[in-house]
Every structure is written in structure tokens, then in C-alpha cells.
Amino acid sequence: DARVTQTPRHKVTEMGQEVTMRCQPILGHNTVFWYRQTMMQGLELLAYFRNRAPLDDSGMPKDRFSAEMPDATLATLKIQPSEPRDSAVYFCASGLIPGGSSSDTQYFGPGTRLTVL
Amino acid sequence: GESVGLHLPTLSVQEGDNSIINCAYSNSASDYFIWYKQESGKGPQFIIDIRSNMDKRQGQRVTVLLNKTVKHLSLQIAATQPGDSAVYFCAGGDSSYKLIFGSGTRLLVRP
């Protein structure tokens, strides 16, 4: 059963510290998305990649957030320095997009719950 | 502007009854829609999708209806079960393949 995996599942850190979240997309998927979920804002798209190339990171605070795909099996989202307002659940999703006649569905990982004190 | 919204934040139904969750969208360029189910502590889980050239699609116990004239879609769950309790999101995608999510509807199933 292919799944998107994310590590860590939970992270508590202090303001100013660097946070790195990792995602392993489903094997064969060519597109990876990073989302942030909060009660106030819901699910927000931060950035996404196709074939490891960044396509859009307009949803991401540029001064402190960075997203990369070192290889096809790993996507990272880094926050430096972290702030209390970054506290949220961060989801990675992957998909085979465009899917042609099949769905362009994104499949989500379990998320990383980040708390910045 | 682009937005996908939901009419009701919480829906409470009796076990065994049918549930209908509604969603409105504003982006005319949306050409596919996806319904996700999110249980507490988990990521959104794909339920069913529909392309804009369709008006109905059925899955196992679920049906999605799309009305492009009024920019509305709904998710119908037949014979709702306790395991269906979750937050349901609709999301719309266009040629950019980015999804815009609605705010979610919490479904509560009463025993």
C-alpha cells in the first residue's frame, strides 16, 4: 500500500531554532506539494515541485521558509528561524500529474505537527 | 476571486441515514474537483473526484454531484456509519494543478 511518509510526526521547538521537515512521496509520483493547515486559515498551499523542479512557492514566506527536493524520493521544508506563528500542521502530498484520463489527485501524508514556543 | 467554500461547518446525522455535504466554488476555470476526508490527527484522505465535463460520479456509498451552472457540488454518503465521522473538504483544481480547498464540514454521526 503506497503512502506518502513524513518525518517527524511531531516537533516542539523554541523560537529562533531551525526546523526541517521531510517527506517521501509515493514512488513514481512526479509532483510534490507542501501545505500548511491551521484552524484559522485552513489548508494553504506553500510550494510545489514537478520532476523535482520548483514550480510555485508563492504561498511561502520567502525570508524564513525554503523547500527543496534533493532527489526524487525526498522533499524537505525548512524554517529558519522559526516563530510561534509557524505553529501548524504541515502536510506533504504527491501525485502523478497531469494524470491524463485518470485523476490528478494529490495523496497526502500524515503531517508534521509543529509547535514553536 | 478563487475560493471554494462550504455552506455548513457542522452536519449531524443519525447512523444509517444519508448525508449530504455541500460546497460552492467561484473559479470558473476549475476543471476537476476532489472530496477529501480528514480524521483527527491524520492527513486528508481521497474519497472521490469528478471532472467538470461530468455532473455525477458514484463510488462505494458515495456520490458526487456537480452543477456547473450554479458552481456547486455535493457529496452524498449513503447509510452513514460512525466511521464516516470526520471533516470533509472539497477542493477545486484547474490547469495549474494546484488545489484550492474549502474550509471543511465536520460530519458527526449519532448512534
Side-chain angles (χ1 to χ4, degrees), chain A residues 9 37 43 45 48 56 91 97-98 100 102-106 108-109, chain B residues 32 34 36 38 41-44 46 49 51 89 96-99 101:
Chain A
R9 291 296 313 280
Q37 186 177 41
L43 268 164
L45 178 66
Y48 74 109
D56 188 338
F91 288 104
I97 298 170
S102 61
S103 168
D104 293 316
T105 295
Q106 298 176 25
F108 283 75
Chain B
Y32 64 100
I34 305 174
Y36 286 93
Q38 187 174 23
K42 297 183 179 180
F46 170 83
D49 63 350
R51 295 275 177 186
F89 293 95
S96 72
Y97 302 106
K98 294 191 290 187
L99 291 178
F101 282 82

Side-chain angles (χ1 to χ4, degrees), chain B residues 7-19:
Chain B
H7 295 305
L8 298 174
T10 303
L11 176 65
S12 179
V13 299
Q14 190 72 37
E15 181 179 355
D17 287 352
N18 296 336
S19 303

Side-chain angles (χ1 to χ4, degrees), chain A residues 8-59:
Chain A
R9 291 296 313 280
H10 302 273
K11 177 71 175 179
V12 180
T13 191
E14 294 187 345
M15 183 173 61
Q17 295 299 305
E18 177 178 299
V19 175
T20 299
M21 291 169 272
R22 294 176 174 80
C23 167
Q24 181 173 9
I26 293 173
L27 187 64
H29 282 184
N30 64 345
T31 308
V32 176
F33 303 81
W34 282 105
Y35 290 88
R36 175 170 61 185
Q37 186 177 41
T38 62
M39 289 296 292
M40 295 299 294
Q41 300 295 327
L43 268 164
E44 302 173 279
L45 178 66
L46 297 175
Y48 74 109
F49 296 77
R50 179 161 300 125
N51 298 321
R52 295 178 56 201
L55 287 190
D56 188 338
D57 62 1
S58 59

Side-chain angles (χ1 to χ4, degrees), chain A residues 62-107:
Chain A
K62 300 293 190 302
D63 56 338
R64 299 183 299 108
F65 284 59
S66 62
E68 296 179 347
M69 275 202 78
D71 61 59
T73 64
L74 176 64
T76 62
L77 180 66
K78 192 172 296 186
I79 307 174
Q80 168 63 17
S82 58
E83 298 181 1
R85 59 180 167 152
D86 300 329
S87 297
V89 181
Y90 291 81
F91 288 104
C92 173
S94 73
L96 183 58
I97 298 170
S101 58
S102 61
S103 168
D104 293 316
T105 295
Q106 298 176 25
Y107 295 88

